[in-house]
Amino acid sequence: MRRIIIIGAGASGLIAGAQAAKRGLDVTIVERNSRPARKVMITGKGRCNVTNACFDINELISNVVRNPRFMYSAFSSFMPYDTMALLQDMGVETKIERGNRVFPVSDKAVDIVDALVKNAKQSGAKIVQGCVASFNTENGVIKSVNLENADIIEGDAFAVCTGGKSYASTGSDGIGYELAKSVGHTITPLKPSLVSLVASNGFIPDLQGLSLRNISIKLLDGEKEIYSDFGEMLFTHYGVSGPVILSASAHMQSPKEHNYKIVIDLKPALDYAALDKRIQRDFSEFANRDFINSLEKLLPNKLIPVIVKRSAIPPSLKVNQITKEQRQSLVELFKNFIVDITDFRPINEAIVTSGGVDVKEINPKTMQSKLVDNLYFAGEVIDVDAYTGGFNLQIAFSTGFLCGNNI
């Protein structure tokens, strides 16, 4: 019986191991942690956004940011409804929330992890604890892996399913890239993706903890628009975070080498003229108030002093003395509130790692290495990543499924 060694018992490794074992192969999944799928445990703030109920393959591909076409065969083989059906077979009911995000009905990530582990074990895969340090090769073929404790595990085929470099505490420490490099694979530059952003504006500390809903953003590099989105965001002590910011980060290269700005439209439902009328209405109601006390119906309290300061309208100026030009500059500020971006937060805080094993060196129909016949890849170690919303876990499941069916 052919011996299959899967390195990493995360989302992709557990699916790959299960599929290979179902084919009657002798499967060993080597996992460094005492508990598998540690990263799955923390996704969706511990609720596990397990996939996205996006059942059209072209729409699914459109949510992949890097190398989307590489994913066509994998998604065709294992779609989000397959993920949901597998979980149901394992006793986990799922529900669909806003943005088609899929969660377990229990809101407990541990239920997803237990189901993935149960699926692998019931299929016949063995999960052993150990840290793979290197490959042993002979005539361009991998013969075995060396563990950090000096043990050697021999196999006939090997799959690297080690995850990326984000959240190293969960086991994603980048070893998969080293293993791939050691047998000749190219690793494209690694950077954080779906990560919070550092901003340089002096008002940032004053807005810490402020959450904005129903806003729209544009990501600019200089004057060029790179990305736009609508939804929620959050100000932090270092800059900005939240769903629209994480998605914007997936479109950014090194901020230190670019001139990135996030332009926030605080009132996207109103065009300039409608917003001007709305402000005039409030100003009529609060005609005898100081300017700083006239914006409570339009803005969260925390944002008012910052807007007032940036508007250059004196805080104590009576509302009935504000000129048309001043009011129109206020409208402009509402529609174009600019945050200057200077850096990503560290890769260890990123939801996913962008970059990885070059897709040109992997067969997209099998996940087999084009350089080493008995080597396969699945999951985040490959240079593919997507938006937030369950898409990255689906990439792990789909590539893992294809890998397990072909290894």
Side-chain angles (χ1 to χ4, degrees), residues 3 136-138 141-145 153-156 158 374:
R3 300 159 300 173
N136 294 310
T137 60
E138 198 176 293
V141 175
I142 302 168
K143 293 293 187 181
S144 60
V145 292
I153 302 178
E154 295 180 345
D156 298 300
F158 300 80
N374 67 337

Side-chain angles (χ1 to χ4, degrees), residues 117-139:
V117 171
K118 179 180 171 186
N119 179 47
K121 287 182 174 177
Q122 283 187 356
S123 300
K126 300 182 292 291
I127 302 174
V128 301
Q129 190 175 358
C131 300
V132 174
S134 60
F135 288 133
N136 294 310
T137 60
E138 198 176 293
N139 299 324

Side-chain angles (χ1 to χ4, degrees), residues 89-108:
D89 287 347
M90 291 293 112
V92 179
E93 295 293 331
T94 54
K95 60 183 175 179
I96 301 170
E97 296 190 1
R98 188 170 47 81
N100 283 331
R101 288 166 161 82
V102 179
F103 293 89
V105 168
S106 66
D107 284 330
K108 292 178 181 173

Side-chain angles (χ1 to χ4, degrees), residues 86-382:
L86 174 66
L87 291 169
Q88 189 167 22
D89 287 347
M90 291 293 112
V92 179
E93 295 293 331
T94 54
K95 60 183 175 179
I96 301 170
E97 296 190 1
R98 188 170 47 81
N100 283 331
R101 288 166 161 82
V102 179
F103 293 89
V105 168
S106 66
D107 284 330
K108 292 178 181 173
V110 67
D111 292 348
I112 301 293
V113 173
D114 288 348
L116 293 173
V117 171
K118 179 180 171 186
N119 179 47
K121 287 182 174 177
Q122 283 187 356
S123 300
K126 300 182 292 291
I127 302 174
V128 301
Q129 190 175 358
C131 300
V132 174
S134 60
F135 288 133
N136 294 310
T137 60
E138 198 176 293
N139 299 324
V141 175
I142 302 168
K143 293 293 187 181
S144 60
V145 292
N146 298 311
L147 304 190
E148 285 181 359
N149 67 1
D151 284 353
I152 295 174
I153 302 178
E154 295 180 345
D156 298 300
F158 300 80
V160 176
C161 305
T162 50
K165 211 169 181 178
S166 54
Y167 288 116
S169 60
T170 65
S172 301
D173 62 352
I175 183 61
Y177 306 127
E178 298 307 315
L179 292 172
K181 258 198 299 197
S182 74
V183 290
H185 274 281
T186 306
I187 307 300
T188 62
L190 305 177
K191 71 176 184 69
S193 186
L194 303 187
V195 69
S196 302
L197 302 173
V198 179
S200 59
N201 310 79
F203 58 77
I204 290 293
D206 299 330
L207 297 181
Q208 179 180 347
L210 174 63
S211 179
L212 298 178
R213 293 186 174 188
N214 301 320
I215 51 89
S216 67
I217 64 151
K218 288 183 290 190
L219 169 65
L220 303 185
D221 185 3
E223 299 303 312
K224 184 183 177 186
E225 183 177 322
I226 305 293
Y227 177 73
S228 62
D229 204 352
F230 174 88
E232 298 177 27
M233 64 169 289
L234 172 72
F235 286 94
T236 66
H237 65 283
Y238 53 76
V240 285
S241 188
V244 298
I245 300 299
L246 299 183
S247 291
S249 75
H251 293 267
M252 298 170 66
Q253 303 306 313
S254 171
K256 291 177 179 175
E257 297 166 17
H258 292 259
N259 181 24
Y260 288 127
K261 288 181 172 62
I262 298 287
V263 181
I264 307 166
D265 184 344
L266 297 166
K267 299 291 176 184
L270 303 175
D271 63 17
Y272 281 75
L275 180 56
D276 188 31
K277 284 180 183 172
R278 170 68 204 276
I279 290 173
Q280 286 183 64
R281 203 163 65 237
D282 282 17
F283 279 5
S284 296
E285 185 180 343
F286 303 133
N288 297 313
R289 287 190 183 184
D290 293 348
F291 173 49
I292 196 163
N293 296 323
S294 68
L295 300 174
E296 62 191 42
K297 287 188 173 183
L298 280 165
L299 294 171
N301 286 339
K302 218 170 201 177
L303 192 53
I304 291 172
V306 174
I307 290 287
V308 168
K309 188 174 181 181
R310 295 193 84 184
S311 74
I313 302 171
S316 57
L317 185 68
K318 295 298 180 188
V319 168
N320 58 18
Q321 294 179 309
I322 292 174
T323 65
K324 180 182 178 182
E325 288 71 24
Q326 287 174 317
R327 194 183 69 243
Q328 288 179 337
S329 72
L330 183 63
V331 170
E332 181 69 26
L333 185 55
F334 272 61
K335 301 293 283 183
N336 294 280
F337 186 84
I338 295 171
V339 178
D340 298 305
I341 303 302
T342 55
D343 208 351
F344 295 122
R345 288 292 286 175
I347 196 166
N348 194 41
E349 294 179 19
I351 294 175
V352 296
T353 307
S354 179
V357 181
D358 194 328
V359 297
K360 293 196 286 289
E361 300 169 354
I362 302 171
N363 183 335
K365 294 181 178 176
T366 61
M367 297 296 130
Q368 183 180 21
S369 164
K370 292 180 180 178
L371 310 182
V372 183
D373 279 351
N374 67 337
L375 179 61
Y376 293 74
F377 297 96
E380 196 180 339
V381 73
I382 302 171

